[in-house]
Amino acid sequence: MDGGRDPGRDGRPVTAEPRWLQASERTAWRGLIGVMTRLPAALDAQLRQDAGLSHFEYSVLVGLSEAPHRTLAMARLADFTCGSLSRLSHAVKRLEGKGWVRRTPCPADGRVTNATLTDLGFEKLAASAPGHVETVRDLVIEALSRDQLDQLGAICGQILNRLDTAPPRPR
């Protein structure tokens, strides 16, 4: 065996003892989990109450508003929203029903479907954004000092970079 490591069912080495989190690591991890759980719920609740949108639908509108010609391929929009194509398709269907988004075949590749933010959808986003931004400011921005915000940005960047470059883990 390899230095006290036995191969697991998937052929990868398994250590005899897990590397348990130290107290400070546990505190940081549980705090991050709390934020990851509670912040999206709070943002979703505000948007549903004030704008009649889910946070995911709002993200779809934002992604389209920032794209050239307010248009993105559905697969690129799914990447932007960190949602599956299935979830995105359901959300876009709801947004289409309200006249805020339009789906069309991509002129360059008929196999690709584009989503486009309509003028009415842009107006909806513009009307919804102030309340959302105020909630973000209240819950996150104003809770931290300028130095803490800079640190948070750097920390999130490092974690996102790790997530983007990490090889997929076997299931």
Side-chain angles (χ1 to χ4, degrees):
M1 301 301 154
D2 184 20
R5 299 173 124 205
D6 295 323
R9 290 185 191 167
D10 60 3
R12 292 182 9 197
V14 176
T15 58
E17 185 67 29
R19 297 184 317 147
W20 299 112
L21 299 178
Q22 301 297 317
S24 63
E25 294 169 331
R26 258 191 327 274
T27 298
W29 175 243
R30 288 179 180 158
L32 179 59
I33 291 297
V35 169
M36 289 171 35
T37 303
R38 294 174 62 191
L39 184 58
L43 295 174
D44 196 66
Q46 177 274 318
L47 282 164
R48 285 185 187 280
Q49 179 180 336
D50 296 349
L53 289 168
S54 70
H55 189 250
F56 186 76
E57 291 167 333
Y58 181 84
S59 295
V60 169
L61 298 180
V62 167
L64 292 173
S65 76
E66 295 175 351
H69 309 289
R70 298 184 193 162
T71 300
L72 280 176
M74 290 288 283
R76 296 222 27 230
L77 187 55
D79 288 343
F80 178 86
T81 60
C82 298
S84 68
L85 277 171
S86 175
R87 180 180 187 200
L88 177 64
S89 181
H90 289 293
V92 168
K93 183 176 182 179
R94 286 189 301 273
L95 297 171
E96 264 186 313
K98 296 178 181 190
W100 299 337
V101 174
R102 180 179 63 251
R103 282 188 279 193
T104 57
C106 174
D109 185 347
R111 299 171 297 173
V112 174
T113 299
N114 286 338
T116 302
L117 183 65
T118 65
D119 290 342
L120 191 60
F122 188 80
E123 290 172 15
K124 177 62 177 175
L125 178 61
S128 304
H132 175 69
V133 170
E134 192 55 41
T135 301
V136 169
R137 183 169 291 291
D138 179 51
L139 296 177
V140 180
I141 305 303
E142 293 174 358
L144 303 172
S145 70
R146 173 53 50 200
D147 286 345
Q148 289 172 321
L149 278 172
D150 292 343
Q151 291 171 356
L152 179 62
I155 290 165
C156 290
Q158 284 180 272
I159 293 171
L160 288 169
N161 185 54
R162 178 67 63 99
L163 290 168
D164 290 343
T165 59
R169 301 219 181 240
R171 295 185 176 222

